[in-house]
């Protein structure tokens, strides 16, 4: 059943034209796509969480991909501004490589779409050259979590479930 669900998701995403030549492997569909609000091409992973969901809602996943990719520039800027404000407040007294407007430094790199959440990954090469910024959004694109993590050079990380992902980005002891 999992293979047919992934094949169904791949077929629907291929037919939608949202992603450039999507590929299904390792339980996800991935590709590149244009993120309208950011004005950037990004890596996109769509994770139907087949380990936890026997029959994922393919329509909901395709809709979520469509919604995030077509997000308005105004909504995108509000997300970037809120995330940057959270980070600036958290690191106000810490050492950063270069003091600059974080909003201008944040570059969208990837989007991971789950049934009930979206994870955005940013680079901020001037202020956090060895890190990446992860921003978790809920279904209404409201920020649930912002994290600056060490960049290990891996573009995509795979987790067994959304809970595993959330545990990872929350860090040890954050529960």
């Amino acid at each position: 059943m999992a293979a047919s669900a992934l094949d169904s998701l791949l077929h629907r995403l291929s037919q939608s034209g949202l992603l450039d030549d999507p590929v299904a492997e390792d339980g996800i569909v991935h590709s590149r796509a244009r993120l309208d609000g950011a004005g950037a091409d990004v890596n996109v992973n769509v994770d139907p969480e087949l380990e936890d969901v026997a029959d994922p809602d393919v329509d909901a996943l395709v809709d979520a991909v469509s919604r995030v990719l077509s997000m308005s520039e105004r909504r995108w800027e509000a997300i970037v501004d809120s995330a940057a404000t959270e980070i600036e407040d958290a690191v106000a007294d810490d050492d950063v490589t270069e003091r600059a407007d974080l909003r201008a430094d944040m570059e969208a790199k990837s989007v991971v779409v789950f049934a009930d959440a979206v994870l955005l990954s940013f680079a901020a090469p001037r202020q956090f050259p060895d890190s990446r910024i992860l921003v978790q959004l809920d279904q209404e694109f409201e920020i649930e979590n912002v994290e600056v993590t060490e960049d290990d050079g891996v573009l995509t990380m795979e987790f067994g479930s959304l809970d595993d992902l959330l545990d990872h980005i929350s860090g040890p002891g954050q529960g």
Side-chain angles (χ1 to χ4, degrees):
M1 182 75 151
S4 65
L6 192 60
D7 290 341
S8 176
L9 178 60
L10 175 62
H11 177 74
R12 288 289 310 284
L13 286 168
S14 295
Q15 294 299 311
S16 73
L18 294 168
L19 305 178
D20 300 331
D21 300 318
V23 174
E25 60 187 4
D26 298 327
I28 64 169
V29 175
H30 62 91
S31 183
R32 301 250 327 143
R34 185 74 176 172
L35 184 56
D36 290 340
D41 292 327
V42 296
N43 293 317
V44 177
N45 290 343
V46 184
D47 187 345
E49 301 177 90
L50 296 174
E51 307 82 20
D52 299 326
V53 180
D55 189 22
D57 186 345
V58 171
D59 292 333
L61 286 165
V62 172
D63 181 59
V65 172
S66 176
R67 289 179 50 238
V68 74
L69 293 178
S70 65
M71 184 185 307
S72 72
E73 184 176 349
R74 183 175 184 197
R75 183 68 193 123
W76 179 259
E77 288 173 354
I79 290 168
V80 170
D81 183 58
S82 293
T85 298
E86 277 194 44
I87 293 167
E88 289 167 345
D89 290 348
V91 300
D93 298 326
D94 293 348
D95 264 347
V96 293
T97 301
E98 178 181 326
R99 292 278 178 195
D101 182 11
L102 182 56
R103 290 149 193 80
D105 195 25
M106 290 173 65
E107 302 170 14
K109 293 297 182 182
S110 68
V111 174
V112 181
V113 177
F114 299 97
D116 59 355
V118 171
L119 184 66
L120 306 172
S121 177
F122 296 87
R126 291 186 308 225
Q127 290 197 49
F128 300 104
D130 299 324
S131 301
R132 60 190 166 135
I133 298 169
L134 300 177
V135 177
Q136 180 189 340
L137 306 176
D138 65 16
Q139 292 174 322
E140 287 78 37
F141 299 146
E142 296 297 325
I143 293 178
E144 287 192 351
N145 191 33
V146 177
E147 183 92 18
V148 178
T149 64
E150 184 176 334
D151 187 359
D152 56 10
V154 176
L155 293 176
T156 305
M157 295 176 69
E158 196 173 318
F159 297 92
S161 69
L162 181 57
D163 288 337
D164 291 345
L165 169 66
L166 297 175
D167 289 342
H168 174 78
I169 61 177
S170 296
Q174 299 293 314

